[in-house]
Amino acid sequence: MRKNFFIFGGVNSLDYGVLLDGSGTTTAPERDVTTVTIPGRSGDLLVDAGRWKNTTVSYPCTIAREFEGQFAAFKQALLAEGGYKRLEDTLHPDEYRLAYLAGPLEPETIPYNRAGTFALDFGCKPQRFLKSGEDALTVASGGKLYNPTGCAALPLIRLTLTGDAKLNVGGVQMSVAGHTGPMWIDCDLQDAYYNNTNLNKYLTAPEFPVLGPGATQVSWSGGIAKCEVVPRWWRL
């Protein structure tokens, strides 16, 4: 029988004897929409904030033996640090989420103090990131990237520069001047850097590009020796 488990911020539930079932793990996010009632007008006006809200993923968990000791160690490992962390599980092996521990860690039952059940609630960002979107794709000038989802992705673009250059991604043209060597353009953080060095002063762009549904063409002129794109595909 297959044992289902999750990994949260590097903590593997299986290391503490914690198993899970699949209920509550496929919740969909809610669109951030406000309704406005206007006197004399039938129906509500919708004000769309252009974003999705966080969603809750709930894991029903079981520890089959030595509950007290394993649960205490598991709780300590999960609560060691706060903030968003990577969350993945064996029920959805091709994707991961960014999540924080939202619910209390209290057991529901402890029969005979040997086995017990409890629920874990994680507050998750709406994106279900595809692990395939973590692979760096080498692109030739004039080549295309194909987004397999209906959601616009915010890529990490890795350049190797030999001189000034112009890079066009999906119609967004960026200019690089005064820098040679590696440069990473992070379209999520809206930042240009390499290692711990900020390189924003060498980059000029009207906006940071996105990889919309379907094909996005990438082309350039000037001193770009290599272009890799980590696409960060995601779905809801």
Side-chain angles (χ1 to χ4, degrees):
M1 182 177 179
R2 177 180 177 180
K3 295 180 178 180
N4 287 313
F5 60 91
F6 67 86
I7 302 173
F8 175 60
V11 176
N12 189 324
S13 70
L14 201 60
D15 292 341
Y16 302 88
V18 179
L19 304 178
L20 59 93
D21 68 33
S23 60
T25 63
T26 56
T27 55
E30 177 186 354
R31 188 76 174 175
D32 190 356
V33 175
T34 303
T35 59
V36 179
T37 300
I38 300 176
R41 179 174 175 176
S42 298
D44 291 335
L45 178 67
L46 299 181
V47 180
D48 193 329
R51 61 183 292 274
W52 298 90
K53 296 181 180 180
N54 272 15
T55 188
T56 300
V57 171
S58 181
Y59 287 136
C61 299
T62 301
I63 297 179
R65 57 182 179 271
E66 300 177 5
F67 182 89
E68 185 175 352
Q70 297 217 76
F71 181 77
F74 180 60
K75 181 167 64 174
Q76 179 63 37
L78 287 187
L79 297 176
E81 295 181 1
Y84 282 105
K85 301 175 188 176
R86 182 183 177 114
L87 174 65
E88 54 188 300
D89 60 53
T90 52
L91 298 164
H92 311 92
D94 299 326
E95 62 187 50
Y96 69 94
R97 296 177 183 265
L98 295 178
Y100 64 92
L101 188 61
L105 265 173
E106 296 298 336
E108 295 179 357
T109 59
I110 313 177
Y112 310 112
N113 203 28
R114 295 178 182 176
T117 62
F118 56 97
L120 278 179
D121 290 337
F122 291 97
C124 298
K125 290 189 176 183
Q127 300 96 329
R128 294 161 56 192
F129 290 99
L130 305 187
K131 291 181 180 179
S132 62
E134 298 180 288
D135 296 332
L137 307 175
T138 301
V139 187
S141 183
K144 295 181 179 180
L145 297 170
Y146 293 90
N147 187 340
T149 78
C151 302
L154 301 173
L156 174 65
I157 302 170
R158 301 175 179 174
L159 300 178
T160 301
L161 296 155
T162 58
D164 294 353
K166 294 185 184 297
L167 173 67
N168 190 300
V169 179
V172 176
Q173 181 167 287
M174 297 171 284
S175 299
V176 181
H179 176 73
T180 58
M183 172 185 281
W184 290 10
I185 302 172
D186 193 321
C187 298
D188 183 21
L189 298 179
Q190 300 194 358
D191 205 3
Y193 59 89
Y194 184 68
N195 289 338
N196 295 319
T197 302
N198 187 292
L199 302 177
N200 283 322
K201 65 181 180 180
Y202 303 111
L203 178 68
T204 302
E207 58 186 343
F208 285 82
V210 301
L211 304 178
T216 298
Q217 187 172 54
V218 179
S219 61
W220 63 80
S221 60
I224 296 179
K226 187 177 183 180
C227 176
E228 294 181 326
V229 178
V230 180
R232 295 169 171 163
W233 310 130
W234 62 279
R235 58 192 173 205
L236 294 170

